[in-house]
């Protein structure tokens, strides 16, 4: 779908071409055309003084039974017998939404040989109910079986909100769930809230991170959103009680056309970036790949991980799996050191949740200093070796 141009009203003045943020409008001497790049943002509609542009009707109007949906659900991800931290974070966020709305909070566990401890842990993070679907066919993750099971449960129980982690698993099957339920999904939200009318306010960066957009889903249910790990804060509620529900789903839910032959654990330790307590990140200021050894050295001193800006990744100095930011990983370590990183908004959205941010940059006006807890205006090639020496000396290692 794209913006519609009424040719009878259009004067080919060209104003809309200038305001379109995604360059989807081209105006010639005789006509204005809208390309498939149109995002239906509506800026052209507001700008056209001749009323020649309109947006197509989105959807078919409110679903008749919106009021029959109630409750907040979190898809509870787990691996190797442990609840994924993102599930703690989402339950904590979901609890606040549910309390504001005056409804219950439920978690959904799909898998095989699911222990009671898993459910208890979900309750300790605020779940009033845990739906447990325990089937051998769910032992390994499968897009089809997981999506079918979750969709079946949603259709039966009708939650008004469904949240999931923007992990590789969530990214893989949650869009399928949204498509099967014919509802909207906002990926990678950085903030969630709820309006008085019960609309989920789903905030996420848009237009390359230059604006924060708050997206709503007024006409369909459930309202679905994914959130990256470490974006929300986990809050344990020891003593919170809940109950386990074990729904029986029909066999066809567990069928899949994909057979998983083997699961090979990721060898690349940089995948641990999101788990690290200390991250030392190098940017384009590092100048060449060999200089990443300076960053590695400091990271090692703190038992931390090495991060990188997209600038450094684009130069080919380090693998993309190290990238922090909007198109990389979102991290929130206790200590984040940004060395030779300018602090572009796309980088900052991926690390601003860190507890302490130390920035080292020779430019005192670098934007990274706006988010830094401690700023060091210095040449990194002088500062970093001296800093490492000082730490080693304090520890009596030299
Ligand atoms: C859609 C989109 C998504 C993006 N996603 C990401 C993302 O996920 N992550 C990300 O990082 N970027 C992302 N970017 C790119 C981002 O806009 C910046 O271009 C990038 O972060 C710049 O990397 P940098 O800070 O390392 O490089 P630069 O902007 O080149 O900055 C280098 C910094 O190093 C400093 N410096 C240079 N020499 C020294 C020295 N000797 N000592 C101390 N300081 C020194 C300079 O003063 C400068 O501030 C994205 C961009 C777009 C459009």
């Amino acid at each position: 779908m794209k913006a519609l141009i009424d040719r009878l009203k259009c004067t080919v003045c060209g104003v809309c071409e200038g305001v379109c943020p995604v360059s989807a409008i081209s105006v010639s001497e005789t006509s204005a055309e809208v390309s498939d790049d149109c995002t239906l943002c509506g800026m052209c509609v507001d700008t056209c003084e001749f009323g020649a542009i309109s947006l197509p009707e989105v959807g078919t109007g409110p679903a008749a039974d919106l009021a029959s949906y109630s409750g907040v659900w979190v898809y509870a991800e787990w691996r190797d017998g442990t609840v994924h931290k993102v599930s703690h974070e989402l339950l904590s966020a979901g609890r606040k939404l549910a309390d504001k709305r005056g409804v219950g909070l439920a978690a959904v566990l799909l898998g095989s040989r699911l222990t009671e401890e898993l459910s208890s842990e979900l309750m300790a993070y605020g779940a009033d109910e845990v739906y447990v679907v325990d089937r051998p066919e769910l032992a390994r993750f499968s897009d089809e079986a997981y999506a079918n099971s979750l969709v079946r449960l949603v259709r039966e129980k009708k939650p008004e909100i469904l949240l999931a982690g923007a992990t590789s698993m969530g990214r893989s099957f949650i869009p399928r769930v949204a498509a099967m339920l014919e509802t909207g999904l906002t990926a990678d939200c950085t903030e969630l809230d709820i309006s008085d009318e019960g609309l989920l306010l789903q905030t996420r960066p848009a237009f390359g991170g230059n604006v924060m957009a708050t997206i709503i889903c007024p006409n369909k249910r459930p309202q679905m959103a994914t959130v990256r790990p470490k974006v929300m804060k986990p809050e344990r509620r020891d003593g919170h009680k809940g109950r386990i529900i074990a729904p029986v789903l029909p066999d066809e839910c567990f069928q899949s056309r994909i057979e998983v032959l083997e699961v090979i654990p990721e060898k690349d330790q940089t995948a641990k970036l999101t788990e690290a307590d200390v991250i030392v990140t190098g940017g384009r200021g590092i100048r060449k790949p060999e200089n990443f050894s300076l960053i590695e050295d400091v990271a090692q001193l703190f038992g931390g991980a090495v991060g990188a800006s997209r600038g450094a990744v684009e130069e080919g100095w380090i693998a993309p799996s190290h990238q922090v930011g909007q198109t990389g990983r979102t991290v929130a370590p206790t200590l984040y050191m940004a060395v030779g990183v300018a602090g572009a908004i796309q980088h900052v959205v991926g690390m601003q949740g860190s507890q302490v941010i130390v920035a080292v940059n020779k430019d005192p006006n670098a934007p990274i200093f706006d988010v830094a807890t401690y700023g060091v205006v210095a040449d990194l090639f002088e500062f970093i070796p001296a800093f490492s020496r000082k730490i080693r000396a304090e520890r009596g290692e030299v």
Side-chain angles (χ1 to χ4, degrees):
M1 276 197 283
K2 50 191 178 183
L4 306 169
I5 297 192
D6 182 337
R7 296 187 194 289
L8 295 176
K9 292 182 182 168
C10 175
T11 62
V12 291
C13 66
V15 173
C16 54
E17 188 177 23
V19 298
C20 177
V22 291
S23 306
I25 305 180
S26 49
V27 181
S28 67
E29 277 179 15
T30 52
S31 68
E33 303 293 339
V34 183
S35 78
D36 290 340
D37 291 339
C38 173
T39 59
L40 298 176
C41 71
M43 284 178 80
C44 52
V45 179
D46 297 340
T47 318
C48 179
E49 60 176 293
F50 307 102
I53 314 179
S54 60
L55 296 183
E57 286 294 317
V58 179
T60 50
D65 60 345
L66 289 193
S68 63
Y69 286 78
S70 172
V72 178
W73 277 22
V74 170
Y75 168 69
E77 193 169 329
W78 63 280
R79 285 192 206 150
D80 305 324
T82 330
V83 174
H84 194 295
K85 284 181 184 159
V86 76
S87 306
H88 298 157
E89 295 157 14
L90 288 175
L91 282 168
S92 306
R95 183 72 263 168
K96 288 181 191 144
L97 298 174
D99 289 346
K100 258 192 177 177
R101 186 89 182 115
V103 295
L105 172 69
V108 180
L109 262 180
L110 306 176
S112 173
R113 298 187 182 185
L114 298 165
T115 61
E116 240 180 81
E117 283 75 53
L118 285 176
S119 298
S120 307
E121 197 177 328
L122 298 171
M123 291 172 201
Y125 280 90
D128 303 314
E129 291 173 333
V130 182
Y131 289 95
V132 180
V133 182
D134 195 321
R135 290 277 298 217
E137 298 93 330
L138 298 177
R140 281 179 172 169
F141 171 68
S142 130
D143 277 307
E144 279 175 291
Y146 273 56
N148 291 342
S149 306
L150 189 51
V151 165
R152 182 82 191 196
L153 282 176
V154 169
R155 285 198 178 127
E156 253 175 46
K157 306 289 176 192
K158 296 190 159 190
E160 58 195 293
I161 291 173
L162 174 57
L163 308 176
T167 56
S168 36
M169 191 189 284
R171 282 170 201 266
S172 180
F173 90 108
I174 292 296
R176 180 188 288 255
V177 170
M180 287 169 78
L181 292 168
E182 295 185 5
T183 187
L185 166 66
T186 307
D188 292 349
C189 293
T190 51
E191 220 182 296
L192 295 173
D193 203 350
I194 198 144
S195 74
D196 293 342
E197 302 78 40
L199 284 178
L200 182 64
L201 307 174
Q202 309 158 68
T203 303
R204 57 151 299 152
F207 293 120
N210 290 319
V211 292
M212 296 303 281
T214 298
I215 294 158
I216 54 169
C217 177
N219 294 347
K220 299 285 178 171
R221 292 293 180 273
Q223 305 168 80
M224 290 183 59
T226 65
V227 179
R228 290 189 195 187
K230 295 225 173 184
V231 171
M232 305 284 169
K233 295 271 173 267
E235 278 172 38
R236 218 180 145 87
R237 293 161 186 259
D238 285 317
H240 182 84
K241 296 263 180 293
R243 64 183 183 123
I244 296 176
I245 302 169
V248 179
L249 304 185
D251 286 349
E252 64 259 27
C253 284
F254 309 110
Q255 285 163 10
S256 172
R257 286 163 293 178
I258 296 161
E259 190 187 348
V260 181
L261 300 178
E262 195 186 354
V263 177
I264 303 166
E266 205 168 11
K267 280 203 194 99
D268 188 353
Q269 286 307 300
T270 57
K272 303 275 179 241
L273 201 59
T274 48
E275 304 290 320
D277 264 342
V278 176
I279 296 175
V280 187
T281 287
R284 208 182 263 129
I286 290 291
R287 278 197 219 143
K288 46 186 177 176
E290 303 86 276
N291 293 337
F292 255 99
S293 60
L294 288 172
I295 302 295
E296 281 158 12
D297 186 45
V298 182
Q300 244 172 31
L301 273 178
F302 293 112
V306 173
S309 69
R310 182 152 132 182
V313 170
E314 275 176 350
E315 296 289 349
W317 299 341
I318 188 161
S321 54
H322 291 264
Q323 186 177 315
V324 172
Q326 188 188 325
T327 41
R329 312 254 168 174
T330 300
V331 297
T334 313
L335 172 65
Y336 187 89
M337 274 187 83
V339 182
V341 175
I345 181 71
Q346 297 89 353
H347 186 82
V348 168
V349 291
M351 46 65 84
Q352 63 193 354
S354 310
Q355 271 177 42
V356 174
I357 299 170
V358 177
V360 183
N361 199 305
K362 67 178 182 184
D363 173 6
N365 298 316
I368 193 72
F369 290 129
D370 296 340
V371 290
T373 325
Y374 302 102
V376 182
V377 180
D379 186 321
L380 72 92
F381 297 103
E382 286 169 20
F383 176 78
I384 292 295
F387 178 69
S388 300
R389 274 198 304 277
K390 176 97 176 141
I391 299 271
R392 288 205 165 87
E394 298 231 331
R395 291 181 183 171
E397 290 173 7
V398 280

